[in-house]
Amino acid sequence: GQNIDQPTEMTATEGAIVQINCTYQTSGFNGLFWYQQHAGEAPTFLSYNVLDGLEEKGRFSSFLSRSKGYSYLLLKELQMKDSASYLCAVMDSNYQLIWGAGTKLIIKP
Amino acid sequence: GAVVSQHPSRVICKSGTSVKIECRSLDFQATTMFWYRQFPKKSLMLMATSNEGSKATYEQGVEKDKFLINHASLTLSTLTVTSAHPEDSSFYICSARDLAGGFYEQYFGPGTRLTVT
């Protein structure tokens, strides 16, 4: 079956760095997405990786290793507004998104 | 960037009534739209995939007669929850995919919170 695993909850301090991991097993691979979702709101797109390596976009970076079925989202210089759930999703061979359960990130002052 | 709107944002209805939720892509043509359901503190659950001009493809366990999906144009898909019951109360989110650029990002609508009393 298809499976996406990510930690349920993480806590970090304002100004620090946090890494949210995601491992996946899917039928085929057409890219991995990270989305941010604040409570009561729809997800917003953060990043897309289809090749191995690190993609940097401001304070956020995303890494992918296809051979290991592994990705991480790195958030630097954490701000209180970064408190949200972070969803990892993999696009399978049918171009369907398979979603992880999300990681709730709590930022403390 | 691409914008998807959803209407209404919140709806409260009585048990037994039907509710229609609209999802529109405002500045692009969406050949494919997706309907998700999300329970509190849970991840997104795909309900169905809707392709313009054809019948929706429902995920296992989703009743097609209860959740009617119509994708009549390249910019509009509707989800009708028929004979709603309290257990249908949830956050419903649509998303749209624009393949014109060859990129498979899904753009999400703001969601509709349905409460059935």
Side-chain angles (χ1 to χ4, degrees):
Chain A
Q2 310 205 89
N3 195 48
I4 310 283
D5 285 318
Q6 50 181 131
T8 304
E9 187 174 295
M10 299 182 71
T11 303
T13 305
E14 189 177 14
I17 299 173
V18 70
Q19 177 175 309
I20 303 174
N21 296 324
C22 171
T23 57
Y24 64 88
Q25 291 178 307
T26 57
S27 55
F29 180 84
N30 279 300
L32 185 144
F33 295 79
W34 283 97
Y35 283 85
Q36 180 191 59
Q37 186 178 26
H38 285 99
E41 299 179 10
T44 55
F45 171 79
L46 289 178
S47 67
Y48 171 69
N49 294 67
V50 67
L51 299 177
D52 290 348
L54 187 68
E55 295 276 346
E56 296 186 77
K57 192 187 294 185
R59 294 190 298 114
F60 292 7
S61 302
S62 57
F63 171 84
L64 174 67
S65 168
R66 289 172 295 172
S67 62
K68 295 182 179 178
Y70 167 70
S71 172
Y72 68 72
L73 179 69
L74 190 71
L75 293 77
K76 303 177 184 176
E77 302 169 17
L78 286 170
Q79 302 174 9
M80 297 304 293
K81 67 178 182 180
D82 297 329
S83 293
S85 287
Y86 291 85
L87 308 176
C88 173
V90 172
M91 185 163 283
D92 68 9
S93 56
N94 294 318
Y95 299 101
Q96 292 271 53
L97 276 181
I98 311 300
W99 292 88
T103 298
K104 182 180 180 181
L105 178 63
I106 300 168
I107 310 295
K108 295 185 175 180
Chain B
V3 179
V4 175
S5 71
Q6 221 175 305
H7 178 81
S9 57
R10 289 179 180 273
V11 57
I12 300 173
C13 70
K14 291 186 177 180
S15 187
T17 61
S18 295
V19 174
K20 179 185 283 188
I21 303 171
E22 291 187 350
C23 178
R24 293 180 184 272
S25 57
L26 298 185
D27 50 3
F28 66 99
Q29 292 185 327
T31 52
T32 304
M33 288 185 170
F34 303 88
W35 286 97
Y36 292 89
R37 184 174 180 177
Q38 188 173 35
F39 292 102
K41 301 182 181 180
K42 300 292 184 182
S43 190
L44 299 172
M45 183 190 82
L46 179 65
M47 298 174 67
T49 301
S50 167
N51 292 299
E52 185 265 336
S54 62
K55 290 183 178 180
T57 302
Y58 289 81
E59 295 299 300
Q60 193 172 9
V62 178
E63 299 176 58
K64 59 181 67 176
D65 293 331
K66 180 167 185 62
F67 299 100
L68 300 177
I69 292 172
N70 185 295
H71 192 163
S73 76
L74 285 171
T75 59
L76 173 64
S77 177
T78 60
L79 167 69
T80 301
V81 183
T82 62
S83 187
H85 291 285
E87 58 264 30
D88 299 324
S89 298
S90 190
F91 191 47
Y92 292 87
I93 309 173
C94 74
S95 70
R97 192 159 70 194
D98 173 17
L99 295 181
F103 180 59
Y104 298 103
E105 178 186 347
Q106 288 186 24
Y107 302 97
F108 285 86
T112 297
R113 187 159 301 283
L114 170 64
T115 303
V116 184
T117 60

